[in-house]
């Protein structure tokens, strides 16, 4: 199968590798239909974060079809259409039960990687995958893009508003370095008590705390992707209440992966869609 290899800063390429296989009872293998480039993938691409040359891609957002499942998987079966969140919550630890599956306490491999590929091995799949009704062919291009955004970027933006306690009608400032400011977000609630949330894997949070000395609250962490998708976001997309797929302003084939990274690095695309 084809996968994206991080050759070096400024260069990713497609390589032929073995198709992933089930390695644990709670694994699922997913045939990727759409994936994308994240603002956080660009840190290494721009040479701003250490990443080994010729290593697997850091891509972590996908929708696809379940290809095979391990013996412990009861919630999805081969042929199901799913969102593959970048988080892999177990659904039953204290963090997951409290709605923080981005901080799942059951395992230390809670994040996706290498999904800019034709197939991915998705670990801890039983609760973490989000099943979508029907098949990809049942949905418009725009709707598929919105469903893809539920693997990370929409849920991450939603997480920012949740932890900042933002409600309808509030005025907020969003500052970010990811796609439309949703991957690294500082949102300052402008009305009432000053509340600032800072969520970024790439910023010095202590420094942020000093800069925003008057902050009431600093909160953040990885989004509770599966929780939000199942509780709110999937229905909102399917009902047409939100259209987060608009974030994808350029589309590429998997073979053109470097151009997809380039478009975002040069800010010619807000977020690059990869059709597999
Ligand atoms: Zn991401
Ligand atoms: Zn958990």
């Amino acid at each position: 199968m084809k996968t994206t290899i991080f050759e070096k800063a400024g260069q990713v390429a497609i390589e032929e590798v073995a198709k992933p296989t089930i390695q644990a009872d709670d694994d699922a293998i997913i045939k990727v239909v759409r994936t994308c480039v994240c603002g956080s993938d660009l840190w290494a691409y721009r040479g701003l974060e250490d990443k080994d040359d010729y290593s697997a891609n850091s891509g972590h957002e996908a929708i696809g079809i379940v290809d095979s499942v391990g013996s412990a998987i009861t919630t999805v079966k081969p042929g199901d259409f799913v969102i593959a969140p970048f988080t892999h919550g177990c659904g039953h630890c204290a963090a997951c039960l409290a709605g923080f599956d981005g901080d799942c306490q059951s395992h230390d491999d809670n994040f996706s990687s290498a999904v800019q590929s034709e197939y991915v091995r998705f670990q801890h799949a039983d609760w973490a995958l989000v099943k979508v009704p029907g098949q990809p062919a049942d949905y418009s291009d725009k709707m598929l893009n919105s469903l893809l955004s539920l693997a990370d970027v929409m849920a991450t933006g939603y997480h920012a508003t949740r932890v900042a306690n933002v409600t309808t009608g509030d005025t907020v400032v969003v500052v970010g370095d990811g796609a439309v400011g949703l991957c690294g977000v500082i949102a300052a609630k402008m009305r009432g008590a000053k509340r600032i949330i800072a969520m970024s894997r790439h910023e010095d949070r202590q420094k942020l705390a000093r800069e925003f000395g008057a902050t009431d609250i600093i909160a953040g962490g990885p989004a509770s992707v599966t929780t939000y998708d199942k509780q709110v976001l999937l229905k909102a997309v399917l009902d047409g209440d939100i259209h987060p797929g608009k974030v994808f302003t350029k589309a590429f084939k998997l073979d053109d992966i470097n151009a997809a990274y380039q478009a975002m690095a040069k800010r010619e695309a807000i977020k690059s869609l990869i059709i597999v």
Side-chain angles (χ1 to χ4, degrees):
M1 70 143 192
K2 290 176 182 175
T3 191
T4 301
I5 297 293
F6 178 86
E7 291 191 337
K8 59 184 179 183
Q11 185 65 45
V12 294
I14 296 299
E15 269 191 12
E16 199 68 34
V17 297
K19 183 180 163 186
T21 54
I22 300 285
Q23 291 172 37
D25 289 350
D26 61 349
D27 279 354
I29 306 299
I30 296 165
K31 184 178 195 306
V32 176
V33 172
R34 289 181 182 213
T35 178
C36 51
V37 182
C38 184
S40 63
D41 298 330
L42 294 181
W43 283 87
Y45 190 78
R46 288 187 170 130
L48 300 172
E49 185 178 80
D50 279 343
K51 181 168 169 57
D52 290 342
D53 289 353
Y54 293 95
S55 59
N57 69 84
S58 55
H60 48 263
E61 302 155 73
I63 54 174
I65 301 294
V66 177
D67 182 67
S68 57
V69 295
S71 58
I73 303 293
T74 60
T75 54
V76 295
K77 60 184 187 310
D80 282 350
F81 181 25
V82 291
I83 298 163
F86 78 90
T87 53
H88 295 245
C90 70
H92 56 73
C93 72
C96 285
L97 288 173
F100 292 96
D101 55 278
D103 293 307
C104 178
Q105 297 166 342
S106 290
H107 40 254
D108 56 12
D109 55 348
N110 201 38
F111 301 110
S112 290
S113 197
V115 314
Q116 290 156 359
S117 305
E118 287 182 310
Y119 290 86
V120 298
R121 172 183 166 234
F122 192 95
Q123 75 274 20
H124 314 300
D126 198 44
W127 182 82
L129 288 173
V130 179
K131 195 170 161 179
V132 181
Q135 291 291 309
D138 301 333
Y139 295 94
S140 69
D141 238 34
K142 286 178 180 173
M143 187 62 93
L144 289 174
N145 292 352
S146 287
L147 292 169
L148 173 60
S149 79
L150 300 189
D152 176 357
V153 64
M154 179 62 223
T156 295
Y158 183 70
H159 185 62
T161 66
R162 284 276 292 247
V163 297
N165 199 22
V166 170
T167 52
T168 305
D170 283 344
T171 303
V172 300
V173 175
V174 178
V175 184
D177 60 8
V180 291
L182 294 182
C183 219
V185 178
I186 302 167
K189 187 170 175 178
M190 303 298 284
R191 204 179 60 195
K194 272 180 279 182
R195 287 184 183 170
I196 295 178
I197 69 103
M199 38 179 307
S200 168
R201 279 168 282 177
H202 301 286
E203 290 294 339
D204 178 345
R205 291 171 198 189
Q206 301 249 321
K207 191 169 124 203
L208 285 169
R210 278 199 298 275
E211 283 177 9
F212 295 96
T215 300
D216 283 336
I217 296 171
I218 293 183
S224 312
V225 184
T226 300
T227 297
Y228 295 154
D229 284 358
K230 289 180 177 177
Q231 282 182 353
V232 183
L233 299 178
L234 177 59
K235 184 175 189 305
V237 164
L238 294 177
D239 288 352
D241 294 338
I242 57 173
H243 306 277
K246 288 177 178 174
V247 74
F248 299 105
T249 55
K250 286 201 172 188
F252 299 85
K253 294 200 169 95
L254 184 59
D255 283 327
D256 299 322
I257 187 71
N258 197 57
Y261 274 69
Q262 279 285 319
M264 278 177 72
K266 291 179 178 171
R267 302 203 182 270
E268 294 165 359
I270 295 174
K271 193 165 172 69
S272 293
L273 171 73
I274 313 294
I275 298 176
V276 181

PDB file of all heavy atoms in Angstrom, residues 37-41 60-61 86 151-153 156 183 201 271, ligand 1:
ATOM      1  N   VAL A  37      -3.863  17.259   5.801  1.00  0.00           N
ATOM      2  CA  VAL A  37      -2.660  17.748   6.452  1.00  0.00           C
ATOM      3  C   VAL A  37      -3.097  18.648   7.605  1.00  0.00           C
ATOM      4  O   VAL A  37      -3.988  19.489   7.440  1.00  0.00           O
ATOM      5  CB  VAL A  37      -1.762  18.537   5.476  1.00  0.00           C
ATOM      6  CG1 VAL A  37      -0.482  19.010   6.167  1.00  0.00           C
ATOM      7  CG2 VAL A  37      -1.432  17.689   4.248  1.00  0.00           C
ATOM      8  N   CYS A  38      -2.472  18.457   8.766  1.00  0.00           N
ATOM      9  CA  CYS A  38      -2.799  19.261   9.940  1.00  0.00           C
ATOM     10  C   CYS A  38      -1.763  20.375  10.093  1.00  0.00           C
ATOM     11  O   CYS A  38      -0.600  20.205   9.730  1.00  0.00           O
ATOM     12  CB  CYS A  38      -2.779  18.384  11.186  1.00  0.00           C
ATOM     13  SG  CYS A  38      -3.288  19.244  12.692  1.00  0.00           S
ATOM     14  N   GLY A  39      -2.195  21.483  10.666  1.00  0.00           N
ATOM     15  CA  GLY A  39      -1.245  22.544  10.979  1.00  0.00           C
ATOM     16  C   GLY A  39      -0.076  22.016  11.792  1.00  0.00           C
ATOM     17  O   GLY A  39       1.065  22.455  11.635  1.00  0.00           O
ATOM     18  N   SER A  40      -0.361  21.033  12.661  1.00  0.00           N
ATOM     19  CA  SER A  40       0.719  20.493  13.496  1.00  0.00           C
ATOM     20  C   SER A  40       1.694  19.643  12.688  1.00  0.00           C
ATOM     21  O   SER A  40       2.843  19.476  13.080  1.00  0.00           O
ATOM     22  CB  SER A  40       0.138  19.691  14.669  1.00  0.00           C
ATOM     23  OG  SER A  40      -0.586  18.584  14.201  1.00  0.00           O
ATOM     24  N   ASP A  41       1.264  19.106  11.534  1.00  0.00           N
ATOM     25  CA  ASP A  41       2.209  18.373  10.663  1.00  0.00           C
ATOM     26  C   ASP A  41       3.271  19.311  10.098  1.00  0.00           C
ATOM     27  O   ASP A  41       4.344  18.876   9.695  1.00  0.00           O
ATOM     28  CB  ASP A  41       1.468  17.722   9.479  1.00  0.00           C
ATOM     29  CG  ASP A  41       0.434  16.696   9.911  1.00  0.00           C
ATOM     30  OD1 ASP A  41       0.635  16.073  10.972  1.00  0.00           O
ATOM     31  OD2 ASP A  41      -0.560  16.521   9.186  1.00  0.00           O
ATOM     32  N   HIS A  60      -2.979  12.462  11.175  1.00  0.00           N
ATOM     33  CA  HIS A  60      -3.776  11.823  12.231  1.00  0.00           C
ATOM     34  C   HIS A  60      -5.267  12.059  12.072  1.00  0.00           C
ATOM     35  O   HIS A  60      -6.020  11.949  13.038  1.00  0.00           O
ATOM     36  CB  HIS A  60      -3.296  12.331  13.591  1.00  0.00           C
ATOM     37  CG  HIS A  60      -3.168  13.823  13.630  1.00  0.00           C
ATOM     38  ND1 HIS A  60      -1.965  14.465  13.439  1.00  0.00           N
ATOM     39  CD2 HIS A  60      -4.090  14.791  13.772  1.00  0.00           C
ATOM     40  CE1 HIS A  60      -2.150  15.765  13.481  1.00  0.00           C
ATOM     41  NE2 HIS A  60      -3.443  15.999  13.678  1.00  0.00           N
ATOM     42  N   GLU A  61      -5.708  12.424  10.860  1.00  0.00           N
ATOM     43  CA  GLU A  61      -7.127  12.709  10.643  1.00  0.00           C
ATOM     44  C   GLU A  61      -7.586  11.913   9.427  1.00  0.00           C
ATOM     45  O   GLU A  61      -6.984  12.041   8.367  1.00  0.00           O
ATOM     46  CB  GLU A  61      -7.315  14.202  10.382  1.00  0.00           C
ATOM     47  CG  GLU A  61      -6.801  15.076  11.517  1.00  0.00           C
ATOM     48  CD  GLU A  61      -6.417  16.475  11.039  1.00  0.00           C
ATOM     49  OE1 GLU A  61      -7.323  17.257  10.747  1.00  0.00           O
ATOM     50  OE2 GLU A  61      -5.217  16.765  10.949  1.00  0.00           O
ATOM     51  N   PHE A  86      -8.287  11.522  16.021  1.00  0.00           N
ATOM     52  CA  PHE A  86      -6.860  11.425  16.331  1.00  0.00           C
ATOM     53  C   PHE A  86      -6.638  10.904  17.738  1.00  0.00           C
ATOM     54  O   PHE A  86      -5.536  10.529  18.110  1.00  0.00           O
ATOM     55  CB  PHE A  86      -6.141  12.774  16.110  1.00  0.00           C
ATOM     56  CG  PHE A  86      -6.308  13.816  17.186  1.00  0.00           C
ATOM     57  CD1 PHE A  86      -5.423  13.886  18.245  1.00  0.00           C
ATOM     58  CD2 PHE A  86      -7.335  14.750  17.121  1.00  0.00           C
ATOM     59  CE1 PHE A  86      -5.561  14.863  19.234  1.00  0.00           C
ATOM     60  CE2 PHE A  86      -7.479  15.722  18.095  1.00  0.00           C
ATOM     61  CZ  PHE A  86      -6.589  15.778  19.165  1.00  0.00           C
ATOM     62  N   ALA A 151     -12.560  14.408  12.654  1.00  0.00           N
ATOM     63  CA  ALA A 151     -11.447  13.592  13.154  1.00  0.00           C
ATOM     64  C   ALA A 151     -10.494  14.416  14.010  1.00  0.00           C
ATOM     65  O   ALA A 151      -9.714  13.867  14.782  1.00  0.00           O
ATOM     66  CB  ALA A 151     -10.691  12.956  11.987  1.00  0.00           C
ATOM     67  N   ASP A 152     -10.523  15.731  13.841  1.00  0.00           N
ATOM     68  CA  ASP A 152      -9.646  16.587  14.639  1.00  0.00           C
ATOM     69  C   ASP A 152     -10.151  18.021  14.658  1.00  0.00           C
ATOM     70  O   ASP A 152     -10.659  18.513  15.673  1.00  0.00           O
ATOM     71  CB  ASP A 152      -8.203  16.543  14.089  1.00  0.00           C
ATOM     72  CG  ASP A 152      -7.242  17.483  14.820  1.00  0.00           C
ATOM     73  OD1 ASP A 152      -7.675  18.225  15.712  1.00  0.00           O
ATOM     74  OD2 ASP A 152      -6.044  17.480  14.485  1.00  0.00           O
ATOM     75  N   VAL A 153     -10.035  18.717  13.532  1.00  0.00           N
ATOM     76  CA  VAL A 153     -10.019  20.174  13.553  1.00  0.00           C
ATOM     77  C   VAL A 153     -11.318  20.781  14.092  1.00  0.00           C
ATOM     78  O   VAL A 153     -11.291  21.729  14.877  1.00  0.00           O
ATOM     79  CB  VAL A 153      -9.628  20.710  12.154  1.00  0.00           C
ATOM     80  CG1 VAL A 153     -10.663  20.348  11.110  1.00  0.00           C
ATOM     81  CG2 VAL A 153      -9.356  22.182  12.179  1.00  0.00           C
ATOM     82  N   THR A 156     -11.396  20.016  17.800  1.00  0.00           N
ATOM     83  CA  THR A 156     -10.390  20.818  18.514  1.00  0.00           C
ATOM     84  C   THR A 156     -10.891  22.250  18.718  1.00  0.00           C
ATOM     85  O   THR A 156     -10.759  22.819  19.807  1.00  0.00           O
ATOM     86  CB  THR A 156      -9.052  20.788  17.747  1.00  0.00           C
ATOM     87  OG1 THR A 156      -8.563  19.445  17.773  1.00  0.00           O
ATOM     88  CG2 THR A 156      -8.025  21.709  18.374  1.00  0.00           C
ATOM     89  N   CYS A 183      -6.038  24.567  15.523  1.00  0.00           N
ATOM     90  CA  CYS A 183      -5.144  23.546  16.067  1.00  0.00           C
ATOM     91  C   CYS A 183      -4.356  24.101  17.240  1.00  0.00           C
ATOM     92  O   CYS A 183      -4.100  23.427  18.213  1.00  0.00           O
ATOM     93  CB  CYS A 183      -4.220  23.022  14.980  1.00  0.00           C
ATOM     94  SG  CYS A 183      -3.950  21.254  15.122  1.00  0.00           S
ATOM     95  N   ARG A 201       0.302  22.365  21.530  1.00  0.00           N
ATOM     96  CA  ARG A 201       1.379  21.446  21.866  1.00  0.00           C
ATOM     97  C   ARG A 201       2.735  22.101  21.634  1.00  0.00           C
ATOM     98  O   ARG A 201       3.736  21.559  21.973  1.00  0.00           O
ATOM     99  CB  ARG A 201       1.271  20.192  20.990  1.00  0.00           C
ATOM    100  CG  ARG A 201       0.254  19.213  21.500  1.00  0.00           C
ATOM    101  CD  ARG A 201      -0.025  18.154  20.473  1.00  0.00           C
ATOM    102  NE  ARG A 201      -0.901  18.662  19.432  1.00  0.00           N
ATOM    103  CZ  ARG A 201      -1.270  17.968  18.379  1.00  0.00           C
ATOM    104  NH1 ARG A 201      -0.836  16.771  18.202  1.00  0.00           N
ATOM    105  NH2 ARG A 201      -2.087  18.497  17.486  1.00  0.00           N
ATOM    106  N   LYS A 271      -6.406  24.516   4.723  1.00  0.00           N
ATOM    107  CA  LYS A 271      -6.149  23.131   5.100  1.00  0.00           C
ATOM    108  C   LYS A 271      -6.256  22.283   3.847  1.00  0.00           C
ATOM    109  O   LYS A 271      -7.191  22.450   3.067  1.00  0.00           O
ATOM    110  CB  LYS A 271      -7.164  22.681   6.173  1.00  0.00           C
ATOM    111  CG  LYS A 271      -6.817  21.384   6.874  1.00  0.00           C
ATOM    112  CD  LYS A 271      -7.664  21.235   8.121  1.00  0.00           C
ATOM    113  CE  LYS A 271      -7.503  19.852   8.769  1.00  0.00           C
ATOM    114  NZ  LYS A 271      -6.186  19.632   9.378  1.00  0.00           N
TER     115      LYS A 271
HETATM  116 ZN1  LIG B   1      -4.515  17.747  13.667  1.00  0.00          ZN
END
